[in-house]
């Protein structure tokens, strides 16, 4: 215990540092096989304190590594736990790869057996290190890993509460590990999503319908759902079943995570908008609820960053551009245009009240709003021109803002919207059907 406590002093001292490796060779490594369980435990336990030591002889490193690997199979649980946690930094060392790679599956199985026997966040941390170091090699065992991790998550989450912050932390660690597995593997093995869907969908559904009591897990689950909706060419029905509860949660209690939640929603819209338009949850159209959320974001977000407002505009633009002609009813098109014009007018009015020297326009927000307006005009040019012609102040406000902000629209997707929008407007004849400000230009 004294040697462990003095690790900082010994490792930083020129006098004693040179003696650490001989000490391990003669007094620690041999004790991995000591018949006394307590001595074996202490030998593995002290390794963790010196796990970041740079050994001069690679044989020393490999002897410690092989000893710890054998310790994972020790009959005594405390010894297995000490060996498991002592290996965390070893997994990050390139020298360990060739030794561990052939037995990776067995090592992982030993770690999950240990997780079932003890409640240790340190063991879960080592599993994360394995994922980060051996991610690509884990594709064959990833479904089983995620299944076991989600089982651990359910156990930790059931124990979490005001009096058990450690359980809540461990539950979040489980989700971060699943996220790391998917992030590492999905690019080269996208089929993994189909194999793990059964482990993930029931838990995600429970979180989305449980309300704010699962708030601390929302961000992790939304990131996981982002993978589940991005990688499959066709989103499975089980994953579609999460879309309605997700959007309802966004409206009711998860509004602060609107930017994060928008990622899977955008995936849903772009992968199959036909399915999205037909969705309902609790007897309410999911499309209508999404429109409610976007309206709230655009009309109530007065923060400096305007994060929710920008996200609402992006979602509306994606909705309109993903739909084919006549899929959206004209009253919805009119509603979207009304929301956009209301926000543009509100920003213009607020800006006009500021002293000239202090006026600072958020061009990003303006661009996002104008992208939505252009998408709506492209979708149904004739109808939009009719609506705008009947409201000259609104049409003047919209096109003045559009002309002023053209220099800020440098993104290629925005430039495409500009070309398509004005091409459609110019083909809208007769000219008298256009708003006066367009006729004058």
């Amino acid at each position: 215990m004294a040697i462990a406590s003095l690790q900082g002093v010994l490792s930083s001292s020129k006098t004693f540092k040179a003696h650490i490796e001989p000490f391990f060779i003669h007094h620690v490594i041999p004790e991995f096989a000591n018949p006394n369980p307590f001595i074996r435990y202490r030998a593995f336990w002290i390794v963790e304190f010196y796990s970041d030591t740079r050994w001069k002889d690679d044989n020393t490193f490999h002897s410690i590594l092989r000893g710890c690997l054998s310790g994972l199979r020790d009959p005594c649980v405390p010894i297995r736990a000490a060996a498991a946690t002592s290996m965390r930094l070893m997994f990050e060392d390139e020298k360990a790869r060739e030794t561990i790679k052939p037995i990776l599956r067995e090592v992982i199985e030993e770690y999950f057996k240990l997780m079932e026997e003890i409640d240790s966040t340190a063991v879960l941390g080592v599993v994360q290190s394995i994922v980060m170091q051996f991610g690509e090699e884990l594709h064959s065992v990833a479904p089983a890993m995620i299944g076991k991790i989600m089982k651990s998550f359910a156990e930790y989450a059931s124990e979490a509460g005001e009096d058990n912050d450690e359980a809540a932390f461990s539950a979040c660690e489980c989700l971060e590990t699943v996220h790391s597995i998917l992030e590492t593997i999905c690019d080269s093995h996208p089929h993994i999503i189909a194999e793990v869907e059964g482990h993930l969908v029931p838990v995600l559904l429970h979180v989305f319908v449980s309300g704010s009591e699962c708030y601390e897990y929302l961000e992790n689950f939304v990131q996981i759902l982002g993978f589940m909706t991005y990688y499959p060419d066709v989103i499975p029905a089980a994953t579609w079943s999460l879309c309605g509860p997700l959007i309802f949660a966004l409206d009711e209690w998860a509004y602060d995570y609107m930017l994060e939640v928008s990622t899977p929603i955008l995936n849903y819209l772009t992968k199959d908008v036909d399915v999205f338009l037909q969705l309902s949850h609790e007897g309410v159209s999911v499309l209508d609820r999404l429109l409610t959320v976007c309206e709230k974001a655009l009309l109530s977000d007065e923060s400096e960053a305007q994060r929710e407002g920008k996200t609402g505009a992006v979602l509306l633009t994606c909705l309109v551009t993903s739909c084919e002609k006549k899929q959206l009813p004209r009253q919805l098109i009119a509603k979207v245009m009304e929301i956009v014009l209301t926000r543009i007018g509100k920003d213009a009015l607020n800006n006009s009240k500021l002293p000239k020297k202090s006026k600072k326009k958020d061009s990003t927000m303006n661009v996002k709003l104008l992208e939505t307006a252009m998408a709506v005009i492209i979708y149904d040019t004739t109808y939009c021109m009719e609506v705008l012609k009947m409201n000259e102040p609104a049409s003047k406000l919209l096109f003045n803002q559009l002309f002023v902000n053209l220099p800020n629209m440098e993104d290629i997707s925005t430039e495409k919207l500009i070309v398509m929008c004005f091409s459609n407007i110019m083909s809208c004849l007769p000219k008298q059907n256009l708003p006066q400000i367009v006729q004058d230009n």
Side-chain angles (χ1 to χ4, degrees):
M1 185 173 287
I3 299 296
S5 301
L6 292 171
Q7 183 272 334
V9 176
L10 298 177
S11 297
S12 60
S13 169
K14 292 182 179 180
T15 304
F16 297 110
K17 188 176 182 179
H19 298 286
I20 293 175
E21 188 161 350
F23 172 79
F24 266 77
I25 293 171
H26 297 295
H27 301 288
V28 177
I29 296 172
E31 303 306 331
F32 291 160
N34 193 295
N36 187 319
F38 181 76
I39 301 299
R40 292 202 307 278
Y41 167 76
R42 282 301 190 195
F44 288 118
W45 174 78
I46 200 172
V47 168
E48 184 177 6
F49 291 86
Y50 290 86
S51 56
D52 60 348
T53 300
R54 293 185 177 275
W55 309 105
K56 293 180 180 179
D57 188 346
D58 284 351
N59 289 328
T60 305
F61 174 84
H62 287 292
S63 294
I64 295 172
L65 178 61
R66 285 192 294 269
C68 287
L69 288 171
S70 67
L72 289 176
R73 300 177 179 86
D74 196 283
C76 296
V77 173
I79 293 174
R80 294 205 301 275
T85 54
S86 293
M87 291 177 66
R88 184 176 62 84
L89 290 180
M90 292 185 186
F91 283 121
E92 300 173 8
D93 195 309
E94 281 297 322
K95 296 192 293 291
R97 289 187 65 86
E98 296 308 314
T99 301
I100 296 173
K101 191 174 178 180
I103 58 171
L104 184 58
R105 180 186 287 269
E106 291 82 357
V107 170
I108 291 171
E109 288 176 354
E110 293 298 332
Y111 271 94
F112 281 114
K113 287 179 185 177
L114 190 59
M115 285 177 63
E116 292 176 358
E117 294 178 299
I118 64 170
D119 181 13
S120 173
T121 55
V123 175
L124 186 59
V126 180
V127 174
Q128 281 189 305
S129 295
I130 294 174
V131 171
M132 298 304 294
Q133 190 65 24
F134 295 93
E136 189 61 29
E137 288 85 0
L138 293 174
H139 65 91
S140 62
V141 296
M145 286 183 68
I146 289 176
K148 291 179 179 178
I149 293 171
M150 292 309 296
K151 181 181 177 182
S152 296
F153 166 79
E155 293 172 357
Y156 286 128
S158 66
E159 299 170 4
E162 294 182 2
D163 298 328
N164 198 342
D165 290 339
E166 187 174 344
F169 177 79
S170 297
C172 289
E173 287 279 298
C174 288
L175 299 181
E176 288 171 9
T177 304
V178 171
H179 177 271
S180 298
I181 293 172
L182 296 177
E183 186 176 40
T184 306
I185 295 175
C186 281
D187 276 337
S188 53
H189 302 280
H191 64 274
I192 289 292
I193 294 297
E195 297 179 40
V196 302
E197 184 184 51
H199 299 303
L200 297 172
V201 169
V203 186
L204 267 73
L205 183 60
H206 172 73
V207 168
F208 296 154
V209 302
S210 293
S212 55
E213 65 185 66
C214 293
Y215 190 82
E216 64 264 44
Y217 310 125
L218 179 66
E219 184 173 5
N220 295 109
F221 273 125
V222 166
Q223 291 174 341
I224 291 170
L225 184 57
F227 290 114
M228 296 171 65
T229 52
Y230 176 79
Y231 282 100
D233 293 329
V234 177
I235 297 176
T239 304
W240 271 111
S241 70
L242 300 172
C243 184
L246 174 67
I247 292 176
F248 273 59
L250 178 61
D251 183 35
E252 294 167 3
W253 59 270
Y255 181 73
D256 289 343
Y257 282 97
M258 185 166 181
L259 177 60
E260 292 77 11
V261 172
S262 69
T263 298
I265 296 176
L266 292 170
N267 291 339
Y268 280 124
L269 288 169
T270 53
K271 286 293 175 72
D272 197 336
V273 73
D274 291 333
V275 175
F276 182 89
L277 294 176
Q278 297 169 15
L279 290 177
S280 64
H281 180 62
E282 297 179 349
V284 178
S285 165
V286 172
L287 172 62
D288 290 345
R289 186 56 63 96
L290 177 63
L291 192 63
T292 299
V293 172
C294 293
E295 182 177 15
K296 178 169 66 174
L298 283 167
L299 301 186
S300 65
D301 182 6
E302 298 182 359
S303 63
E304 185 175 351
Q306 297 179 320
R307 197 176 75 150
E308 286 78 22
K310 294 172 188 174
T311 303
V314 169
L315 287 170
L316 290 176
T317 302
C318 182
L319 169 65
V320 175
T321 55
S322 297
C323 290
E324 296 180 2
K325 298 295 184 183
K326 298 183 180 179
Q327 273 189 299
L328 297 175
R330 279 190 162 177
Q331 59 264 33
L332 187 145
I333 291 296
K335 181 64 175 177
V336 172
M337 183 63 84
E338 178 189 345
I339 294 170
V340 171
L341 289 173
T342 302
R343 178 57 194 249
I344 290 175
K346 184 178 180 180
D347 287 349
L349 179 62
N350 290 338
N351 193 60
S352 67
K353 295 178 181 179
L354 296 173
K356 290 185 177 181
K357 291 184 179 180
S358 65
K359 287 184 180 181
K360 293 183 180 179
K361 293 184 179 181
D362 185 348
S363 62
T364 305
M365 183 65 190
N366 283 339
V367 168
K368 297 301 180 189
L369 290 167
L370 294 169
E371 285 175 349
T372 305
M374 289 189 291
V376 172
I377 290 172
I378 294 167
Y379 185 84
D380 195 339
T381 309
T382 302
Y383 177 66
C384 287
M385 292 302 102
E386 291 174 0
V387 171
L388 289 171
K389 185 173 176 60
M390 291 186 294
N391 190 343
E392 287 293 342
S395 62
K396 185 176 181 180
L397 174 66
L398 173 62
F399 284 100
N400 278 338
Q401 286 293 318
L402 186 54
F403 298 146
V404 168
N405 281 276
L406 282 175
N408 300 319
M409 299 179 175
E410 298 178 345
D411 185 81
I412 185 66
S413 61
T414 311
E415 291 177 346
K416 288 179 180 179
L417 286 174
I418 294 170
V419 172
M420 293 177 66
C421 178
F422 283 100
S423 296
N424 283 19
I425 290 174
M426 287 189 291
S427 64
C428 190
L429 299 174
K431 178 181 177 182
Q432 288 72 25
N433 290 343
L434 300 175
Q436 190 62 45
I437 187 172
V438 179
Q439 294 184 39
D440 295 341
N441 281 273

